[in-house]
Amino acid sequence: QTEDRSSATTPRPFSFAAALESLDNDAELLTEQMRFFQNDGPQLLQRVQEAIDQRDARPMEIAAHRLKGLLARYAYHDAAGLAYDLERMGREAEFDPAQAACRKLKPLVDLLVNAIDDYVAKYETEKGKW
């Protein structure tokens, strides 16, 4: 139980409050954006990985750029920084370091997707109360 308590108080590396503020505190719009990320975040990361595997620099750069923007909305600096690195690596056709960066980025994207899943589910349940 002690572990559960400490993990509950661990600060998140991203901020839903920052995202909400960037949308003029429109909770409905935030959840729409979150639903978009649930699908597009992992899909863009998959596109980056496929571009790395195919050694195709331009699609890697484009997908990483779009992913960076989505991550930045949540003030997710670590993840957005990795996406920025991947964008630059795409621009410079650096595939080997991109492989490692993509592996580091995946659990960060997964963490945000899981947190969004929880947030959206809570929002839907308590919609009338917000």
Side-chain angles (χ1 to χ4, degrees):
Q1 284 185 345
T2 311
E3 285 178 38
D4 288 9
R5 212 174 302 123
S6 67
S7 67
T9 58
T10 302
R12 288 181 164 168
F14 46 82
S15 171
F16 291 160
L20 185 59
E21 191 175 307
S22 76
L23 298 170
D24 294 327
N25 294 311
D26 184 335
E28 183 68 32
L29 184 56
L30 177 61
T31 57
E32 286 175 27
Q33 292 286 326
M34 287 176 154
R35 286 187 197 99
F36 179 75
F37 185 85
Q38 285 171 310
N39 182 56
D40 282 23
Q43 204 171 68
L44 286 167
L45 186 62
Q46 181 62 35
R47 282 193 209 148
V48 169
Q49 183 61 62
E50 288 168 1
I52 293 168
D53 293 344
Q54 295 164 5
R55 302 183 83 71
D56 197 349
R58 186 67 180 143
M60 178 178 134
E61 178 187 357
I62 292 167
H65 176 78
R66 288 188 52 214
L67 183 57
K68 176 187 69 178
L70 293 177
L71 293 165
R73 172 170 305 280
Y74 300 95
Y76 200 176
H77 304 297
D78 292 347
L82 281 168
Y84 172 80
D85 290 345
L86 283 161
E87 178 185 3
R88 181 190 51 74
M89 290 172 198
R91 220 175 8 259
E92 298 170 11
E94 296 176 354
F95 299 106
D96 293 335
Q99 192 69 260
C102 197
R103 269 196 306 275
K104 283 185 196 169
L105 185 53
K106 183 174 183 349
L108 301 181
V109 169
D110 290 345
L111 181 68
L112 181 55
V113 168
N114 291 335
I116 284 175
D117 290 346
D118 294 344
Y119 185 97
V120 169
K122 183 178 178 185
Y123 178 79
E124 292 299 326
T125 302
E126 301 179 7
K127 197 174 192 174
K129 302 173 193 170
W130 289 27

